Amino acid sequence: MKNFNTLLFLTYFILSTLGTTVGVFAQSNVIPDKSDNSQKNEIDSFLSKLPSLESLIDSALFHAPMLKMQSLDLRIKDMEINNARKNWSKNIISGNASYNYGDNLILSENLGLGQLSTNSKADSHYSVGFSLKIPITTLFDHQDLRKAEIELQKTEMQRLILVKSIREEVNTKYLNLTNAYQKYKILLDDFESHEINLQNAEKDFLNSRISVQEVTTIKMANSKAKLELTDAKSALSSAIWLLEELVGFQLKL
């Protein structure tokens, strides 16, 4: 009896080991389905041709007419600040120089009415003057300079706001374009299905397998799909044009 139990245990152990080995071997030879991964990794040719969002933004900032105007305004504000500083310094510092050569004329009326006695001596004079005027109002209240500096800061802030607005607009136009393309692609696939259904329906109608009402319903659905596809194509073309106008170059799609 003891030998029989031992033999039974050894048989069970061998069968369990073989089952585990077969299971592991079977798992090691399982070929994974790569179809899902290939679909996820597939890149649409249209979208792959689109430049990156940041490159589109950089191009839009470079071509933006409003930003070019802002650059000119900044140059003007710099000139106004320099002029204000020069005018402020003129109000404080002034100088003069003069050179004179001539006679010191002495008049005498001792000779009688209508007669003048003159005595002259030639002499030359050269003088240089320098003055420093420091009015309190000039030192502490140079409003022209302060106004020019404030105007410059205001223009710089307006430029930052404009840059932010352009970035947001490019992002919106970019998303509108990709969404318009996705919608067009979906409707194109649907339209192809409607075309196949219509062809089959016409064959079935000729073979008297469907009624006139049924084939008419399928034709109406096909016409609706065609109109939706046309609208989607127009929306896609418009989205492409709007983005091209914003970034300043033609997209090669």
Side-chain angles (χ1 to χ4, degrees):
M1 184 68 178
K2 183 177 180 181
N3 293 332
F4 176 77
N5 290 335
T6 303
L7 179 62
L8 182 63
F9 174 77
L10 291 174
T11 303
Y12 176 77
F13 176 78
I14 293 171
L15 291 174
S16 299
T17 304
L18 289 174
T20 304
T21 305
V22 171
V24 172
F25 178 78
Q27 291 180 2
S28 63
N29 286 276
V30 172
I31 300 176
D33 185 7
K34 298 182 179 179
S35 59
D36 293 338
N37 292 331
S38 62
Q39 291 177 357
K40 291 180 181 179
N41 295 330
E42 182 181 358
I43 300 176
D44 190 281
S45 60
F46 177 88
L47 297 178
S48 64
K49 293 178 183 178
L50 276 176
S52 65
L53 180 58
E54 284 301 322
S55 63
L56 292 173
I57 290 175
D58 292 339
S59 181
L61 293 176
F62 178 77
H63 290 92
M66 291 299 297
L67 279 181
K68 293 180 180 180
M69 289 181 59
Q70 287 285 344
S71 299
L72 295 176
D73 287 339
L74 288 173
R75 292 177 60 185
I76 292 174
K77 300 305 178 185
D78 284 333
M79 294 174 62
E80 290 177 352
I81 290 177
N82 292 331
N83 291 334
R85 286 173 178 169
K86 290 179 181 179
N87 293 333
W88 180 67
S89 62
K90 287 180 181 179
N91 293 329
I92 296 179
I93 302 173
S94 64
N96 59 77
S98 62
Y99 176 80
N100 296 320
Y101 180 83
D103 296 336
N104 291 327
L105 182 63
I106 301 176
L107 300 179
S108 177
E109 297 183 355
N110 294 330
L111 298 178
L113 183 61
Q115 296 181 0
L116 294 176
S117 173
T118 63
N119 184 13
S120 62
K121 179 180 180 182
D123 197 3
S124 63
H125 304 278
Y126 180 78
S127 64
V128 177
F130 177 81
S131 63
L132 182 64
K133 299 179 294 182
I134 312 179
I136 299 298
T137 57
T138 302
L139 284 177
F140 298 100
D141 193 25
H142 38 285
Q143 295 183 356
D144 291 340
L145 178 58
R146 290 184 177 181
K147 181 180 178 181
E149 291 174 345
I150 292 174
E151 289 291 338
L152 177 62
Q153 294 176 1
K154 180 181 177 181
T155 304
E156 290 175 345
M157 292 303 298
Q158 289 174 344
R159 181 179 178 84
L160 292 177
I161 294 173
L162 183 58
V163 169
K164 184 175 182 295
S165 176
I166 293 175
R167 290 181 61 87
E168 293 175 352
E169 188 176 2
V170 173
N171 181 67
T172 300
K173 294 291 191 297
Y174 180 83
L175 293 178
N176 289 343
L177 172 57
T178 56
N179 291 336
Y181 171 72
Q182 295 292 350
K183 183 178 180 179
Y184 171 76
K185 186 179 179 181
I186 292 173
L187 291 177
L188 180 61
D189 293 338
D190 290 343
F191 179 70
E192 291 176 353
S193 299
H194 281 287
E195 284 285 295
I196 294 173
N197 291 336
L198 180 58
Q199 293 174 6
N200 293 331
E202 289 175 344
K203 292 178 181 179
D204 291 340
F205 175 73
L206 293 175
N207 295 323
S208 302
R209 287 194 290 264
I210 61 175
S211 63
V212 175
Q213 184 178 0
E214 289 174 327
V215 72
T216 302
T217 301
I218 295 176
K219 284 184 177 181
M220 291 177 62
N222 182 73
S223 298
K224 181 181 178 182
K226 187 174 183 179
L227 289 175
E228 291 177 348
L229 180 62
T230 302
D231 291 340
K233 186 176 182 180
S234 298
L236 176 60
S237 299
S238 177
I240 293 174
W241 182 83
L242 290 174
L243 185 58
E244 288 177 342
E245 285 293 302
L246 187 58
V247 301
F249 67 91
Q250 187 174 3
L251 300 175
K252 298 180 180 179
L253 303 174

